[in-house]
């Protein structure tokens, strides 16, 4: 009789670092300490120092308190600290995590138990976050970006920094997120003027292996500070700093009212300006086996990995005040990241916070490996600096000036066999680049005024993110032709990139929704 194989041992549960509750509860400790200071030290100061003719508090006079009072006070303080320490210890004891072949599970809670898990087959990226206090203690947080998870993404905090890096490397290797080749696009017949059907190109290989990090570029601190100073928030902050003293000199009686109106704006715009410096400080873009990695931060350091093939769209923009310096910004839509939830979440989708045009070309070459070949830099330059119907871009007709008097000559689109480029903006210029196979749907809409002028809008949808791909106020015929040609491009590109597959799989991956809405 053959021996029955022993069942596989269940994956082991592990505890997070013992300092985790302290790091998470530091704000509560500050509140408790502040309450003690507010209750005790105020009376102590009034009793011993006084303020002019102020009378010390009659409820509490430290000079009249004997040794018994101070022993009791010290005992109560020690008891509070012991209770807090016990709560911290119990919280740490009941917080555990488990890594299985299918999931990462995290259990927490004492009275109310909670278990969160991330399915590894839906993990888009695993990032390392190191806020200021954990960084001082040598700790790090692992954040699992899961498809369609939004704010419910699973976070494992805190581990030691070497443990976090080791676990991330192990999971990324298990997931096989190392640089899959991105298929090139297939030609599509027909299309509007500006939609080309050039030959397909094969992707360039990723020449990084193992755990190697190969630097691509960095942002110098002077350029970062200059870009922040040449921003709208910094201009408003400068106006506030100048306006308040001038107003007080003109009318000193308006001081309190001026301060009440001036201080909130100063704090708000000052915080935005500081956050941009703190987030972009020491920004570095690296090539890793999984794709691209960005690392940035002054006090809190973040390390985020953007897997190859997960970039859905790339946006290059140039604000008005950056134009004299030749600076640009590159942002991306990444599958699983979703839209940014505020100013503090912007950098998670940024591959270049401020850089030169050659750096932009380098980033696009890596982010869209093999797409567009040598045509992409020229297409981008024309998208950022072109005007009117010159070159390859199909632009809005002259009658669109009634709806877009300033921007209609800049609005337009052009395509290669691999990507579609959409340009917009007159003062602040931007160009969005969408690989054909990343197009999820195409919609054409036409409002009453547009119908009267023979115009229509085209919206091309990928995953949520900071990059919006839309072409407003096109000629209605060009809009319909663009929608049809892009749907054909997308279907052909996905069939080519997926390779041989079953009929069911091919039908599922090659479908792109195209809708026309003409009320």
């Amino acid at each position: 009789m053959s021996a029955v194989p022993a069942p596989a041992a269940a994956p082991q549960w592990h505890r997070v670092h013992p300092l985790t509750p302290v790091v998470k509860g530091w704000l509560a400790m500050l509140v408790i300490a502040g309450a003690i200071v507010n209750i005790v030290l105020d009376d102590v100061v009034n009793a011993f120092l006084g303020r002019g003719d102020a009378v010390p508090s009659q409820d509490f006079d430290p000079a009249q308190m004997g040794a018994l009072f101070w022993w009791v006070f010290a005992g109560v303080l020690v008891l509070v600290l012991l209770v807090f320490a016990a709560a911290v210890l119990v919280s740490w004891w009941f917080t555990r995590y488990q890594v299985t072949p299918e999931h990462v599970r995290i259990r927490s809670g004492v009275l109310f138990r909670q278990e969160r898990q991330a399915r590894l087959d839906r993990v888009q990226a695993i990032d390392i976050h190191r806020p200021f206090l954990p960084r001082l203690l040598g700790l790090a947080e692992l954040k699992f970006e899961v498809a369609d998870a939004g704010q419910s993404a699973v976070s494992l905090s805190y581990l030691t920094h070497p443990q976090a890096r080791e676990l991330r490397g192990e999971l990324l290797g298990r997931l096989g997120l190392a640089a899959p080749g991105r298929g090139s696009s297939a030609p599509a017949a027909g299309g509007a003027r500006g939609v080309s059907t050039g030959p397909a190109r094969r992707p360039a290989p990723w020449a990084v292996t193992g755990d190697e990090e190969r630097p691509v570029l960095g942002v110098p601190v002077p350029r970062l500070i200059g870009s922040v100073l040449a921003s709208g928030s910094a201009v408003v902050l400068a106006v506030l700093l100048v306006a308040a003293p001038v107003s007080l000199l003109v009318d000193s009686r308006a001081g309190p009212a001026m301060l009440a109106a001036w201080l909130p704006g100063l704090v708000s715009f000052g915080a935005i300006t500081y956050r941009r410096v703190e987030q972009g400080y020491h920004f570095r873009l690296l090539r890793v086996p999984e794709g691209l990695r960005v690392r940035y931060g002054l006090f809190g350091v973040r390390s985020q990995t953007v897997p190859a093939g997960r970039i859905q769209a790339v946006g290059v923009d140039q604000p008005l005040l950056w134009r004299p310096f030749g600076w640009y910004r590159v942002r991306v839509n990444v599958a699983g990241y979703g839209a940014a939830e505020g100013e503090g979440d912007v950098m998670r989708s940024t591959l270049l916070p401020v850089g030169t045009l050659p750096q932009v070309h380098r980033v696009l070459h890596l982010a869209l490996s093999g797409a567009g070949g040598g045509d992409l830099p020229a297409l981008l330059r024309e998208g950022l600096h072109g005007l009117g119907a010159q070159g390859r871009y199909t632009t809005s007709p002259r009658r669109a000036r009634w709806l877009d008097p300033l921007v209609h000559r800049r609005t337009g689109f052009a395509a290669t066999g691999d990507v579609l480029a959409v340009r917009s903006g007159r003062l602040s210029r931007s160009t969005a680049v969408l690989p054909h196979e990343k197009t999820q749907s195409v919609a054409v809409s036409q409002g009453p005024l547009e119908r009267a002028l023979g115009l229509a809008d085209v919206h091309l949808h990928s995953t949520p993110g900071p990059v919006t791909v839309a072409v407003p106020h096109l000629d209605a015929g060009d809009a319909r032709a663009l929608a049809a040609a892009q749907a054909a491009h997308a279907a052909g590109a996905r069939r080519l990139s997926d390779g041989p597959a079953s009929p069911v799989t091919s039908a599922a991956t090659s479908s792109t929704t195209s809708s026309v809405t003409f009320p």
Side-chain angles (χ1 to χ4, degrees):
M1 178 181 296
S2 60
V4 177
Q12 185 179 0
W13 287 89
H14 305 275
R15 289 188 173 85
V16 295
H17 196 277
L19 292 178
T20 296
V22 178
V23 174
K24 291 184 174 181
W26 68 272
L27 185 59
M29 289 189 290
L30 287 181
V31 171
I32 294 175
I36 295 176
V37 169
N38 183 62
I39 294 172
V40 177
L41 292 188
D42 183 60
D43 285 330
V44 170
V45 170
N46 286 336
F48 283 102
L49 300 180
R51 293 185 179 177
D53 297 333
V55 179
S57 172
Q58 299 299 318
D59 298 331
F60 178 77
D61 188 355
Q64 299 178 2
M65 296 298 175
L68 179 62
F69 168 79
W70 293 109
W71 280 108
V72 172
F73 178 78
V76 172
L77 184 60
V78 171
L79 180 61
V80 171
L81 293 177
L82 288 177
V83 170
F84 185 81
V88 166
L89 181 62
V90 171
S91 175
W92 168 76
W93 183 263
F94 283 94
T95 302
R96 298 180 295 170
Y97 69 95
Q98 180 191 56
V99 180
T100 72
E102 296 84 17
H103 301 88
V104 173
R105 294 191 176 97
I106 302 174
R107 289 181 179 175
S108 60
V110 180
L111 298 179
F112 301 95
R113 304 301 303 274
Q114 182 185 37
E115 178 174 316
R116 302 188 67 183
Q117 66 179 20
R119 283 177 47 186
L120 293 181
D121 61 346
R122 296 186 63 81
V123 169
Q124 307 290 326
I126 305 175
D127 301 330
I128 294 181
H129 293 185
R130 303 187 70 196
F132 180 61
L133 182 57
R135 184 184 176 191
L136 290 180
L137 298 175
L139 304 181
E141 172 191 12
L142 278 182
K143 187 171 182 180
F144 297 85
E145 300 287 352
V146 183
D148 304 325
Q151 287 299 300
S152 63
V154 176
S155 296
L156 177 56
S157 56
Y158 286 92
L159 308 175
T160 65
H161 188 215
Q163 284 179 333
R165 294 188 61 180
E166 181 180 356
L167 181 56
R168 180 181 67 172
E170 176 188 342
L171 292 177
L172 289 178
R174 184 186 304 178
L175 292 172
L177 293 180
R182 194 186 68 80
S184 54
S185 304
R193 178 171 54 90
V195 180
S196 68
T197 56
R201 292 177 172 86
R202 304 306 302 171
W206 292 77
V208 182
T209 59
D211 297 328
E212 180 185 359
E213 289 184 344
R214 179 173 299 175
V216 176
L217 56 84
V219 176
V221 175
R223 184 195 299 165
L224 172 67
I225 296 177
S227 68
V228 173
L229 294 178
S231 64
S233 59
V235 171
V236 174
L237 180 61
V239 170
L240 290 174
L241 291 174
V242 173
V246 171
S247 300
L248 290 178
L249 290 176
V250 173
D251 186 3
S252 59
R253 294 173 297 179
M258 175 61 64
L259 183 63
W262 170 75
L263 191 58
L266 180 68
V267 172
S268 176
F269 286 99
I272 293 174
T273 302
Y274 164 76
R275 187 182 298 115
R276 289 179 177 174
V277 174
E278 200 278 335
Q279 290 180 338
Y281 188 84
H282 202 39
F283 181 94
R284 287 172 292 168
L285 179 64
L286 310 161
R287 289 180 62 181
V288 293
E290 301 83 27
L292 296 174
R293 180 170 297 162
V294 294
R295 188 171 293 136
Y296 55 88
L298 176 58
F299 295 112
V301 177
R302 290 194 174 192
S303 178
Q304 298 179 188
T305 302
V306 181
R310 301 290 173 88
I311 295 177
Q312 309 296 302
V314 180
V316 182
D317 61 279
Q318 185 182 43
L320 174 64
L321 297 179
W322 289 12
R323 287 165 62 178
F325 307 100
W327 292 338
Y328 304 85
R329 174 174 49 209
V330 180
R331 293 182 291 184
V332 293
N333 293 352
V334 181
Y337 272 20
E341 296 294 330
E343 185 71 23
D345 207 24
V346 170
M347 291 296 294
R348 69 202 300 257
S349 300
T350 301
L351 292 186
L352 181 62
V354 54
T356 61
L357 194 58
Q359 288 181 323
V360 172
H361 292 161
R362 198 181 317 165
V363 172
L364 258 66
H365 174 71
L366 296 176
L368 305 175
S369 178
D375 293 337
L376 190 55
L379 198 67
L380 178 64
R381 283 194 298 270
E382 191 177 339
L384 290 171
H385 305 295
L387 189 66
Q390 301 172 355
R392 288 173 287 183
Y393 276 78
T394 298
T395 57
S396 301
R398 182 173 175 79
R399 59 184 180 276
R401 70 185 185 277
W402 298 108
L403 301 179
D404 257 340
L406 296 179
V407 187
H408 75 279
R409 296 189 64 199
R410 279 274 307 153
T411 301
F413 70 93
T416 68
D418 297 310
V419 300
L420 175 75
V422 174
R423 73 184 190 192
S424 60
R426 186 66 177 267
L427 299 179
S428 295
R429 301 166 174 173
S430 63
T431 299
V433 181
L434 176 67
H436 293 315
E437 71 268 24
K438 305 300 183 181
T439 305
Q440 296 183 359
S441 65
V442 184
V444 181
S445 61
Q446 189 181 50
L449 293 178
E450 290 177 314
R451 185 169 61 251
L453 295 171
L455 305 175
D457 303 335
V458 180
H459 300 270
L460 301 107
H461 306 126
S462 67
T463 57
V467 182
T468 301
V469 188
V471 195
H473 307 147
L474 283 177
D475 178 83
D478 283 344
R480 294 188 184 94
L482 171 61
Q486 186 62 18
H489 268 293
R494 281 201 293 268
R495 279 196 299 267
L496 185 61
S497 63
D498 292 340
S502 64
V504 175
T505 304
S506 299
T509 58
S510 62
S511 60
T512 297
T513 303
S514 178
S515 62
V516 180
T517 306
F518 285 175

